Amino acid sequence: MTSRTPADDAHPYLRAASTGIRHHTRTLAPSDTNSSRRADRLHLDVLHAHLTALLQLLDRLAGNTRPPHPAAGRHLATAHTRLWQATSEVHSAFHLLPSTAAEADTEPSACHPERLPEGPPVLTICQRHLAAGHVVRRKTTPTDLHPHTTACVR
């Protein structure tokens, strides 16, 4: 069941992002040619950036929907919380993956963006996660987030 929207609607970028994700998912499907394709830190970083962008979108949609349609707004707010939990798990998985083959035998890195082997870019996954977590915690109760908490401490 999908809603029918006109081809010239106001959401072309969201549709394009969804199409890109579907294409990427198909290319990662198990096959003989790409059986060695696994998640790496860069892959999870990009996915985390996408999830945090979706968090912002859901937050705004929930805020705009809640006044005229409180029940629908609550459902969007719940979706926002669940998406935060998924985002938090992707962030945790990022830290469990080694960044190079040489680091495969070492302990996974803690959340210290300044010590990442690739150097601290302008906005690292940890900084992005902390910023998103701040927004989520302002609008969500600890009970809603339990047991999902971030391990990032800065």
Side-chain angles (χ1 to χ4, degrees), residues 6-7 15 17 28 31 42 44 50-52 54 62 68-70 76 87 108 113 117-118 122 128 131 133 140 146 154:
R15 268 198 323 276
L28 289 176
S31 71
L42 180 60
L44 293 183
H50 187 78
L51 290 172
T52 54
L54 285 173
H69 307 287
L76 289 174
T87 303
E118 58 273 11
V122 175
R128 184 185 325 113
T140 312
H146 185 73
R154 198 152 157 75

Side-chain angles (χ1 to χ4, degrees), residues 63-85:
N64 294 342
T65 304
R66 190 173 287 125
H69 307 287
R74 282 191 302 274
H75 280 287
L76 289 174
T78 300
H80 180 268
T81 300
R82 301 298 181 260
L83 185 59
W84 165 252
Q85 292 168 342

